[in-house]
Structure formats: C-alpha cells, structure tokens
Amino acid sequence: MKRALVGLLAFLGALGMAQKFSLEASAGYIYSGLGGQLAVVAEDLAPGLPLAVRLGLGFATSDALDDNYVIDQNTGTTWGNVKSAGNLTEWGQNITLSLDVLYKLPAQGLPVSLAPYLGLRYNMFEGGAYNNSGWLKVSSNAFGFGGGIRAAYAVIPNLDVVADLGADYYLQSCLTGSSSGGPTTTTCPGDSSYANDNAFVTQPDGFVFRVRLGAAYRF
C-alpha cells in the first residue's frame, strides 16, 4: 500500500506541471473478466515534451477459484465437482490502482493519436464461494507493473473515443483465506503450502491482459 501512496504523490506532483487535463472512462476485458476503469489524465507536462500521466481506478469481475484444481488426488475430484455437488455460488473481483506515464507519438494530419505507456499497479483481489450451509473467502494485495498503447480518435474538439490494449505483470503475494466456522489463515511465497494455494486461487499472478474501449473528455 505504501507504494500505491508513493505513486499517488507522484501524480499529484505532475498536476502542478500539466497544461491540460482529461477524464477517461472505459470498459472491456480485464484479467479474464469484464470490467472498467475511471481515470484522470494530466497532459503536456513540459513544453515540447509530449508526456502525460494517468491515474486510474479499475474494477473487474473474476473467476475466484480454478474449477480444474484437484481437491482430492486419490479420487481426482476437482473444485468444479465440489462446487456443482454443493450448489455453491462463486464470486470474485479485482480493484486496481494504476499510475501510467504516456508518451504521445507525433501524428500530424492524422485523426488518431497513439500513446505507448508504462506504469505501476496495485491490485486488491477478493473472491470465494457460498451456499446455504456456509462460505469461504480468499483475498490478496499484489504489486505489479504494466504497459500498453492507447489510441484516441477525436469525435469533437474536446471529446475522444479511446481504445487501450495492454498487459500487466504481478508479483506473487500473500493469500489470506477464511471460512464459516473456521480460522483465518495466511500463506506467503516461500511457505510450503503456497504453491498449491496459489494454483487454486485465480488472482492476477504473472502476466495478465487488458482490452478496453471508452471515451475521454478534455478540459
């Protein structure tokens, strides 16, 4: 969380140098689920240097637990089997803070502008399953970094249609699990049970991909 606060302070520092601002809203395929992002973009940070900084807050649905994970090695029973037999409802979500630096490529005379970007990520994952008899929940907070390219098409002088294609990489993080009637447990990278727990839980881990479409209003 401290890293996320450092990123926020960096964005606030960039606000003082910005010449233009825009509000951006987009939605699409994020981390194997549907989601969207709201962002503030500070543009033209320095004369003659087409840099921008984007601070975003994203949300995406998620498949919390891997249906193909084998719960019982002796019988080959998977989580999908257990979920079906127990009539369990599964849910999952990701809330992501992102801070990107964009470089706007020269595009004189073209209706579309392109801006590759790189940035930092802080993802808060939570998910689980429940039925009438009980529930289980798992969560994690992961730090990562990512990049991509943003394309903007001017519809009117202050309104752009934007498309964003990118990928993020998340470092492994501790997993916290709890269930009705049971204790709360935490496993971290390096623990003997972490590899199995991490294979079962489908929070962002390693490379994940994003495709979003939306609009940006400049002011």
Side-chain angles (χ1 to χ4, degrees), residues 20 43 153-160 216-219:
K20 299 177 183 178
E43 304 180 45
Y153 176 80
V155 180
I156 57 176
N158 291 332
L159 182 65
D160 292 344
Y217 178 77
R218 293 190 302 277
F219 57 93

Side-chain angles (χ1 to χ4, degrees), residues 5 30 51 56 58 68 77 97 111 113 122-123 126 147 155 162 164 174 177 179 183 190 200 205 214:
L5 292 175
I30 306 171
L51 290 179
N68 296 318
T77 301
L97 294 174
S113 63
Y122 185 76
N123 187 78
E126 187 174 83
V155 180
V162 296
D164 192 311
C174 295
S179 62
F200 185 28
D205 179 29

Side-chain angles (χ1 to χ4, degrees), residues 105-147:
L105 298 175
Q108 295 180 355
L110 297 178
V112 177
S113 63
L114 298 175
Y117 61 84
L118 293 172
L120 302 176
R121 307 285 181 264
Y122 185 76
N123 187 78
M124 293 163 280
F125 165 82
E126 187 174 83
Y130 62 91
N131 61 12
N132 293 331
S133 300
W135 54 266
L136 61 89
K137 184 174 74 172
V138 64
S139 62
S140 69
N141 297 325
F143 177 76
F145 49 89

Side-chain angles (χ1 to χ4, degrees), residues 14 34 49 55 128 140 144 154 162 189 194 205:
L34 297 177
L49 189 61
L55 178 65
S140 69
V162 296
Y194 183 80
D205 179 29

Side-chain angles (χ1 to χ4, degrees), residues 9-21:
L9 291 175
F11 176 76
L12 293 176
L15 291 181
M17 300 183 291
Q19 305 299 311
K20 299 177 183 178
F21 298 91

Side-chain angles (χ1 to χ4, degrees), residues 9 41 58 78 80 95 100 122 181 183:
L9 291 175
V41 185
T78 66
I95 297 175
D100 293 308
Y122 185 76

Side-chain angles (χ1 to χ4, degrees), residues 27-111:
Y29 176 86
I30 306 171
Y31 306 164
S32 74
L34 297 177
Q37 176 176 272
L38 295 175
V40 177
V41 185
E43 304 180 45
D44 298 337
L45 300 183
L49 189 61
L51 290 179
V53 175
R54 178 175 63 183
L55 178 65
L57 175 63
F59 174 84
T61 58
S62 173
D63 181 22
L65 303 168
D66 184 0
D67 285 356
N68 296 318
Y69 180 81
V70 178
I71 299 291
D72 189 330
Q73 296 289 342
N74 294 323
T75 62
T77 301
T78 66
W79 166 247
N81 300 142
V82 173
K83 185 169 65 173
S84 178
N87 195 27
L88 289 158
T89 299
E90 189 174 319
W91 63 277
Q93 65 181 32
N94 290 284
I95 297 175
T96 307
L97 294 174
S98 62
L99 180 66
D100 293 308
V101 176
L102 299 88
Y103 180 81
K104 292 191 287 185
L105 298 175
Q108 295 180 355
L110 297 178

Side-chain angles (χ1 to χ4, degrees), residues 180-198:
S180 55
T184 297
T185 60
T186 299
T187 57
C188 295
D191 293 346
S192 58
S193 62
Y194 183 80
N196 283 333
D197 292 345
N198 192 41

